[in-house]
Amino acid sequence: MKALLLIAIVAPAIAAPSAIHAAAKPSKAYAASDLPPKTEKTLTAIPVRGSWKHIVIHHTATPSATPRGIDRFHREQRHMENGMAYHFLIGNGHGMGDGEIYIGERWKRQIQGGHLASEQLNMSSIGICLVGNFESKPPTDRQMKSLEALIHKLRQQTGLTMAAVTTHRSIHPRHTSCPGKHFSLPTNG
């Protein structure tokens, strides 16, 4: 009985420092095969060119978003001729399906992103943006499942390791909280 009581007292203390999203994360590692068949087929058909060095995760910092809306904002407000700054967008059920992966034109055309305030980093960094404000609440379980499967597929295609997967706040030369305090990088991918 003492052993059970000790486990009950110690377990929460051990679990507390873990990633905010880890408790909701499924225990299995995700693979590219966890992608929807249409997404898997589309990604496989795109010849990967260039020297990708990083996979950078962002959030929209808005509760809802669509690829069309982000594309329009980046063209009209940010004056980006190639539109949406990210290579991929993952929905949260508000504007896009929960966990839905949108493959942007930048990835289809294998051109640099516009998601970092560094020309050099944009040339070598794949941008994945998740819809949501992770300063307020964490991404959905479906978003994380899709993110892990997408990262796994991109790593297969580019030869990158998990060490190349980072967040905007970790790689950006200027201060940013993106992708928010309620986001933790997946450990599988």
Side-chain angles (χ1 to χ4, degrees):
M1 187 67 173
K2 283 185 179 181
L4 288 175
L5 181 59
L6 182 59
I7 291 170
I9 292 170
V10 174
I14 294 169
S18 66
I20 292 169
H21 191 73
K25 199 185 293 185
S27 60
K28 79 169 199 134
Y30 290 101
S33 60
D34 290 321
L35 290 169
K38 183 179 178 184
T39 303
E40 169 78 25
K41 184 177 179 181
T42 302
L43 286 172
T44 301
I46 297 169
V48 176
R49 297 186 303 272
S51 55
W52 302 111
K53 295 179 183 174
H54 310 281
I55 298 172
V56 183
I57 314 303
H58 303 262
H59 71 152
T60 60
T62 60
S64 65
T66 64
R68 185 176 178 184
I70 291 174
D71 185 73
R72 192 167 124 207
F73 176 78
H74 285 170
R75 285 179 193 280
E76 294 175 7
Q77 302 298 316
R78 300 274 171 93
H79 308 290
M80 295 180 166
E81 70 179 67
N82 291 309
M84 187 172 80
Y86 315 105
H87 295 93
F88 301 92
L89 186 64
I90 302 177
N92 66 352
H94 301 283
M96 292 175 65
D98 189 6
E100 176 186 353
I101 298 171
Y102 174 79
I103 304 168
E105 288 301 312
R106 289 180 189 260
W107 187 251
K108 291 176 184 174
R109 294 171 42 209
Q110 291 290 292
I111 61 174
Q112 76 179 52
H115 51 102
L116 299 166
S118 162
E119 186 76 18
Q120 184 177 5
L121 286 173
N122 278 328
M123 289 175 64
S124 62
S125 300
I126 301 166
I128 303 174
C129 187
L130 284 75
V131 176
N133 183 348
F134 307 145
E135 281 294 308
S136 302
K137 61 182 184 177
T140 70
D141 290 340
R142 287 183 179 173
Q143 281 182 300
M144 290 305 292
K145 179 179 177 181
S146 293
L147 177 62
E148 289 184 28
L150 179 58
I151 288 170
H152 184 84
K153 177 66 175 178
L154 292 173
R155 287 184 50 227
Q156 281 181 339
Q157 291 182 300
T158 61
L160 294 173
T161 66
M162 274 305 289
V165 180
T166 188
T167 63
H168 186 182
R169 76 174 158 259
S170 295
I171 199 170
H172 197 278
R174 295 187 331 214
H175 174 71
T176 180
S177 63
C178 179
K181 64 185 176 187
H182 292 289
F183 178 85
S184 294
L185 279 174
T187 55
N188 305 322

